[in-house]
């Protein structure tokens, strides 16, 4: 592609809403442009990177006998009612009516659509397994789209769905996809981790996330320093051996109410009572109501007890209670209604709602909690004698320094960008949607399913978040829009252009795509743009160089400069590309 014939408009400054480097660079390089919050036009060079990544995905999935289809973006309400997700998905699902007042939504994910497709075709175990995928535009009405393609509203996803006759088969398919994902992300040459994860409201049990490591990542990961254990903090078991050591062997003391005027937070109470936060117990209040209409909210309150120094993990609460979404915290007024006091003075004694207790509290004795009366707390509170927890379990956030669940090693914290996700779904959707096949005995069975997503546009941006410098993007070779950026220093010089065109054709014919900067611009402008756009190799064709039989080749990543005789030019470019 010649720049003069292309559609590339670079910018000196990034717009104010671009907060992280990859977002700024994609906009500045003209790879994409915002149409509305979370909605972007992919420019031609941006699209080239996206298509290259899509083709890597296709290549690895086709090798594993996955079949590509393309499903609709607009789905009828009835389909989503079959699984209950029409309401369960909440506001993320964008719903609208057509001229006949029929309801539809934009596809946010395609479990329903694919299950409908398959239930109409696959009738026998002999046809199984089937693994079907698409690369398609998704729409999720994200509350807060941000960071460009990282959290968009409209974005490209690769989603695959597998159908097996039994669980063993489904888990085998899961492993194949897991390996396929490894192959895909290895080809990008980026730093990623595979972590245990939460299934969100897709449902299912076994699940892993593929996370690119980057400071700007929205996910917190905990990775063992000794084993290959790695988990998203949302599901990481909390085992901090030292802090929650076996309980002190002390006798139970009599319960006593004492005044704590204006002591609302754990930090205040810590100072006031001279008891460390870790030995205090806090009570948090939530609603188990999963409805999304705030006006019709039936409170369904429950309380959670934690050590004062611990942080609640809402995903663990969601999973303990079998909810499809994390619970909503009660407002101060709602807490007062339920417990009779401000949240800072509330506790479990005489509380008439379900109480879920973190296992960190189990080992404590004679502790302090709110007395459900403003400005008062109880001391010497003990579980069983003074209140009874409905259930005890792991409800707190694990943190860096905690014990690795598989060894005596420690956990280290990283930030990650979730680029891929594999789920074993079981028969959740096939049962709800009555999608069955006949097994070898002629008996109708629901399909065993799995689903597998890759955020295509998110990955392309995440790659840049991990691979850039102060001057611009450093594209991983596998998805670089062009491999070679050719700067022709004086495009009006016809003999120089003739040489440039010859090299351009030769490289192109060998499968090396070239962006030729043939603009009538100063060399400095061209070099700056070449650094910003970030193709792996920049070559400089100038009169002075050619007169002395020299072509300059600069590697974008290292900035290493090689000066080479024109005769050895093509071979050297190929060598450098093979190595980089
Ligand atoms: P997140 O937790 O980031 O909201 P998710 O777990 O809801 O994502 P999945 O349903 O697992 O997402 O979707 C599969 C993949 O699609 C994700 O791993 C991610 O890479 C990508 N993805 C999800 N939401 C977005 C979004 N709003 N913008 C861009 N990519 C997204
Ligand atoms: Mg996910």
């Amino acid at each position: 592609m010649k720049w003069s014939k292309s559609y590339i408009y670079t910018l000196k400054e990034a717009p104010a809403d671009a907060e992280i480097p990859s977002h700024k660079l994609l906009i500045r390089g003209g790879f994409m442009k915002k149409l509305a919050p979370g909605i972007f036009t992919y420019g031609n060079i941006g699209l080239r990177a996206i298509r290259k990544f899509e083709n890597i995905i296709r290549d690895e999935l086709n090798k594993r006998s996955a079949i590509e289809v393309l499903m609709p973006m607009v789905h009828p309400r009835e389909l989503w009612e079959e699984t209950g997700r029409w309401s369960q998905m909440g506001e993320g699902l964008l719903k609208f009516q057509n001229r006949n007042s029929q309801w539809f939504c934009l596809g946010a994910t395609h479990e329903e659509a694919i299950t409908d497709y398959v239930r109409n075709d696959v009738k026998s175990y002999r046809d199984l397994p089937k693994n079907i995928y698409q690369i398609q535009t998704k729409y999720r009405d994200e509350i807060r789209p941000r960071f460009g393609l990282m959290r968009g509203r409209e974005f490209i996803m690769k989603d695959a769905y597998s159908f097996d006759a039994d669980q063993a088969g489904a888990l085998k398919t899961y492993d194949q996809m897991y390996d396929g994902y490894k192959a895909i992300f290895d080809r990008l040459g980026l730093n990623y981790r595979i972590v245990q994860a939460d299934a969100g409201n897709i449902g299912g049990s076994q699940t892993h996330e593929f996370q690119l490591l980057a400071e700007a990542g929205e996910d917190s990961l905990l990775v063992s320093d000794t084993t290959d254990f790695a988990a998203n903090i949302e599901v990481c078991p909390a085992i901090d051996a030292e802090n929650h050591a076996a309980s002190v062997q002390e006798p139970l003391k009599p319960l006593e109410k004492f005044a704590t005027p204006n002591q609302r937070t754990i930090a205040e109470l810590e100072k006031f009572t001279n008891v460390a936060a870790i030995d205090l117990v806090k009570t948090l209040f939530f609603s188990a109501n999963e409805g999304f209409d705030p006006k019709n909210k039936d409170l369904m309150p429950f309380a959670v007890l934690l050590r004062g120094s611990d942080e609640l993990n809402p995903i663990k609460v969601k999973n303990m209670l079998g909810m499809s979404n994390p619970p909503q915290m009660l407002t101060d007024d709602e807490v007062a209604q339920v417990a009779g006091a401000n949240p800072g003075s509330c506790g479990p004694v005489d509380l008439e709602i379900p109480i879920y207790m973190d296992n960190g509290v189990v080992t404590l004795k004679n502790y302090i909690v709110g007395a459900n009366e403003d400005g008062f707390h109880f001391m010497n509170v003990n579980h069983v004698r003074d209140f009874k927890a409905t259930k005890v379990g792991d409800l707190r956030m694990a943190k860096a320094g905690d014990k690795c669940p598989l060894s005596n090693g420690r956990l280290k914290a990283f930030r990650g960008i979730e680029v891929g996700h594999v789920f074993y779904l079981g028969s959740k959707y096939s049962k709800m949607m009555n999608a069955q096949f006949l097994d070898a005995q002629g008996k109708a069975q629901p399909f065993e399913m799995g689903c597998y997503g890759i955020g295509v546009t998110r990955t392309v941006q995440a790659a840049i978040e991990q691979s850039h410098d102060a001057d611009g993007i450093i594209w991983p070779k596998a998805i670089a829009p062009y491999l070679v950026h050719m700067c022709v220093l004086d495009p009006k010089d016809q003999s120089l252009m003739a040489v440039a065109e010859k090299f351009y054709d030769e490289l192109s014919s060998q499968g090396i795509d070239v962006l030729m900067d043939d603009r009538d611009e100063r060399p400095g402008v061209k070099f700056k743009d070449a650094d910003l756009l970030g193709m792996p190799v920049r070559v400089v064709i100038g009169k002075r160089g050619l007169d002395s039989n020299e072509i300059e080749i600069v590697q974008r990543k290292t900035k290493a400069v090689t000066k080479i005789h024109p005769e050895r030019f093509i071979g050297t470019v190929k060598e450098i590309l093979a190595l980089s």
Side-chain angles (χ1 to χ4, degrees), residues 248-258 273 275 279 349 364-369 378-387:
V248 217
Q249 291 301 315
E250 63 178 66
L252 305 193
K253 296 183 197 160
L255 186 69
E256 207 178 300
K257 196 194 269 186
F258 68 111
T273 58
V275 175
D279 293 321
V349 181
L364 277 181
K365 275 192 186 150
N366 300 321
Y367 40 89
I368 294 173
V369 300
F378 283 125
M379 65 170 94
N380 303 329
V381 175
N382 288 283
H383 181 222
V384 183
R385 187 192 67 181
D386 302 319
F387 70 94

Side-chain angles (χ1 to χ4, degrees), residues 140 197-200 202 207-209 219 418 420-423 458:
R140 294 184 180 181
D198 182 59
I202 294 218
T207 167
H208 288 92
E209 286 170 354
D219 288 350
E418 180 197 324
H421 205 161
V422 290
F423 294 93
R458 181 185 282 185

Side-chain angles (χ1 to χ4, degrees), residues 140 142 149-153 155 157 202 218 418-421 423 453-455 457-458:
R140 294 184 180 181
E142 300 277 0
L149 305 179
M150 296 275 202
R151 184 160 300 284
R153 286 192 168 135
F155 58 95
M157 194 201 285
I202 294 218
E218 288 186 328
E418 180 197 324
V419 287
H421 205 161
F423 294 93
I454 291 180
T457 39
R458 181 185 282 185

Side-chain angles (χ1 to χ4, degrees), residues 140-206:
R140 294 184 180 181
D141 215 25
E142 300 277 0
I143 303 176
R144 214 178 138 220
R146 60 177 194 157
F147 296 165
L149 305 179
M150 296 275 202
R151 184 160 300 284
R153 286 192 168 135
E154 186 176 308
F155 58 95
I156 300 176
M157 194 201 285
K158 184 288 300 172
D159 44 330
Y161 305 88
S162 64
F163 296 82
D164 274 85
D166 53 28
Q167 192 188 43
L171 292 175
K172 201 169 136 208
T173 306
Y174 181 96
D175 289 343
Q176 266 170 15
M177 289 300 272
Y178 183 101
D179 288 342
Y181 274 34
K182 274 208 285 202
I184 289 165
F185 291 111
D186 283 345
R187 280 173 68 171
L188 296 187
L190 296 167
N191 189 8
Y192 73 93
R193 294 282 184 287
I194 305 171
V195 305
Q196 296 175 16
D198 182 59
N201 59 14
I202 294 218
S205 45
Q206 181 168 328

Side-chain angles (χ1 to χ4, degrees), residues 217-275:
E218 288 186 328
D219 288 350
S220 293
L221 316 178
L222 290 166
V223 179
S224 171
D225 60 7
T226 39
T227 66
D228 61 6
F229 175 85
N232 190 310
I233 196 165
E234 293 180 343
V235 296
C236 186
I239 315 169
D240 40 352
E242 292 87 358
N243 293 341
H244 295 116
S247 69
V248 217
Q249 291 301 315
E250 63 178 66
L252 305 193
K253 296 183 197 160
L255 186 69
E256 207 178 300
K257 196 194 269 186
F258 68 111
T260 48
N262 301 319
Q263 306 305 308
R264 291 201 179 80
T265 63
I266 285 291
E268 286 166 353
L269 200 63
E270 192 176 21
K271 248 189 174 160
F272 185 81
T273 58
N274 218 7
V275 175

Side-chain angles (χ1 to χ4, degrees), residues 41-231:
T41 297
Y42 312 120
N44 180 258
I45 44 173
L47 191 60
R48 285 183 69 94
I50 292 169
R51 292 285 182 254
K52 282 194 175 180
F53 183 46
E54 290 175 352
N55 286 334
I56 291 174
I57 297 174
R58 281 197 178 92
D59 188 42
E60 294 298 335
L61 295 190
N62 294 350
K63 264 191 225 166
R64 290 166 177 82
S65 305
I67 303 154
E68 185 171 2
V69 299
L70 186 58
M71 287 182 267
M73 189 178 183
V74 174
H75 302 183
R77 170 181 185 158
E78 296 70 37
L79 191 64
W80 285 74
E81 293 283 13
E82 286 190 46
T83 60
R85 290 209 295 180
W86 179 260
S87 58
Q88 220 180 72
M89 291 284 285
E91 309 281 1
L93 206 57
L94 186 65
K95 299 160 182 169
F96 53 93
Q97 285 174 294
N98 72 356
R99 66 177 79 202
N100 300 323
S101 307
Q102 291 158 324
W103 281 97
F104 293 86
C105 66
L106 290 184
T109 176
H110 281 64
E111 282 79 11
E112 283 82 358
I114 193 72
T115 307
D116 179 67
Y117 183 64
V118 169
R119 73 179 164 185
N120 287 306
D121 291 326
V122 180
K123 305 278 190 254
S124 161
Y125 73 97
R126 286 192 201 89
D127 292 343
L128 297 173
K130 290 276 184 255
N131 187 2
I132 304 174
Y133 75 97
Q134 64 172 345
I135 297 175
Q136 193 242 21
T137 298
K138 294 275 180 285
Y139 189 90
R140 294 184 180 181
D141 215 25
E142 300 277 0
I143 303 176
R144 214 178 138 220
R146 60 177 194 157
F147 296 165
L149 305 179
M150 296 275 202
R151 184 160 300 284
R153 286 192 168 135
E154 186 176 308
F155 58 95
I156 300 176
M157 194 201 285
K158 184 288 300 172
D159 44 330
Y161 305 88
S162 64
F163 296 82
D164 274 85
D166 53 28
Q167 192 188 43
L171 292 175
K172 201 169 136 208
T173 306
Y174 181 96
D175 289 343
Q176 266 170 15
M177 289 300 272
Y178 183 101
D179 288 342
Y181 274 34
K182 274 208 285 202
I184 289 165
F185 291 111
D186 283 345
R187 280 173 68 171
L188 296 187
L190 296 167
N191 189 8
Y192 73 93
R193 294 282 184 287
I194 305 171
V195 305
Q196 296 175 16
D198 182 59
N201 59 14
I202 294 218
S205 45
Q206 181 168 328
T207 167
H208 288 92
E209 286 170 354
F210 287 68
Q211 296 268 0
L212 287 196
L213 302 187
E215 264 316 302
E218 288 186 328
D219 288 350
S220 293
L221 316 178
L222 290 166
V223 179
S224 171
D225 60 7
T226 39
T227 66
D228 61 6
F229 175 85

